[in-house]
Amino acid sequence: MKIILLISTLFTLTAFTFTNKKTLDEIPDKSYHPIVLGQKLTYRADLSSYSMTFDSLPTVINGLTYIKCTTAYETGQSVSYYRQDGNRVLYTKSGQTTETVEIPENPEVGLVWFESDSTWKYTVISVKETLETPETNYINCLVIQSENINPNANPGHYQLYLQYFQRGRGYIGTKLGGLLYSYVTIEN
């Protein structure tokens, strides 16, 4: 029995010793979605990639200060405007007059809210999850289930996404059907 335990321990230590994978924990007392002026994040998705770039100057819309975020895909781009209100992160899309909560004030498992146009339903399903990517293990993640409740308004989108956020790092990835769909790449 001791030999089996010793061999098991050696295999475990060997696996951790020879992997180049980083493990990143949340940054306490930081936002789940920090909005950083001028920040550009690159994500891998399936066989493609996309980027999210926050402008370096704020934009005022209806008296509120936002940071414009351009998401560039291989087939085009989309624009959203983000702002932080206390611990909440809110956004609006081009042409919309109402805001949607990206990250609630105090995310707790079971908390539910909807997109401002009622086409998506969001549910907090975990606040201590791990997201494993080919490059990094992210621990203590917030997981928000995004459910497409109006497929006619959102053609080309899947029914259910699990979006992962980590304090201090923001949006780090998405799972579809339990499989990693997209993830942020880490620059060295």
Side-chain angles (χ1 to χ4, degrees):
M1 185 59 135
K2 289 181 182 181
I3 292 175
I4 293 174
L5 182 60
L6 178 63
I7 291 172
S8 175
T9 304
L10 286 174
F11 279 127
T12 302
L13 289 174
T14 302
F16 284 114
T17 302
F18 292 111
T19 183
N20 290 331
K21 201 180 272 199
K22 300 174 189 175
T23 296
L24 296 176
D25 200 349
E26 66 182 353
I27 302 171
D29 302 320
K30 297 291 183 181
S31 170
Y32 276 111
H33 195 278
I35 301 166
V36 180
L37 293 172
Q39 181 180 47
K40 180 178 181 178
L41 300 168
T42 302
Y43 296 84
R44 287 203 175 94
D46 289 336
L47 301 174
S48 63
S49 65
Y50 65 95
S51 64
M52 294 176 72
T53 305
F54 290 91
D55 277 4
S56 56
L57 296 173
T59 301
V60 176
I61 302 172
N62 296 328
L64 298 171
T65 303
Y66 293 90
I67 305 301
K68 179 181 175 183
C69 177
T70 303
T71 304
Y73 304 97
E74 291 179 355
T75 58
Q77 66 180 24
S78 64
V79 173
S80 301
Y81 297 88
Y82 286 86
R83 72 181 184 93
Q84 191 152 350
D85 179 31
N87 288 328
R88 267 187 337 162
V89 175
L90 304 149
Y91 71 92
T92 188
K93 297 176 185 174
S94 290
Q96 287 185 334
T97 57
T98 56
E99 296 178 311
T100 298
V101 173
E102 173 90 7
I103 305 293
E105 182 77 26
N106 295 307
E108 294 179 1
V109 174
L111 182 65
V112 174
W113 69 99
F114 293 85
E115 182 83 21
S116 64
D117 63 4
S118 300
T119 58
W120 291 88
K121 176 183 175 184
Y122 302 105
T123 307
V124 174
I125 63 166
S126 182
V127 293
K128 293 292 181 194
E129 194 71 31
T130 296
L131 179 66
E132 183 176 343
T133 75
E135 299 172 3
T136 309
N137 290 322
Y138 297 92
I139 58 176
N140 293 314
C141 296
L142 167 66
V143 183
I144 298 174
Q145 177 179 282
S146 302
E147 183 179 353
N148 183 358
I149 58 175
N150 188 344
N152 292 332
N154 300 301
H157 289 277
Y158 293 102
Q159 178 71 32
L160 204 62
Y161 297 82
L162 295 180
Q163 297 178 305
Y164 288 72
F165 296 83
Q166 191 182 56
R167 284 190 188 278
R169 292 189 177 82
Y171 167 65
I172 54 172
T174 297
K175 283 187 176 182
L176 290 173
L179 301 174
L180 186 63
Y181 176 71
S182 68
Y183 62 94
V184 68
T185 60
I186 301 294
E187 302 296 324
N188 292 328

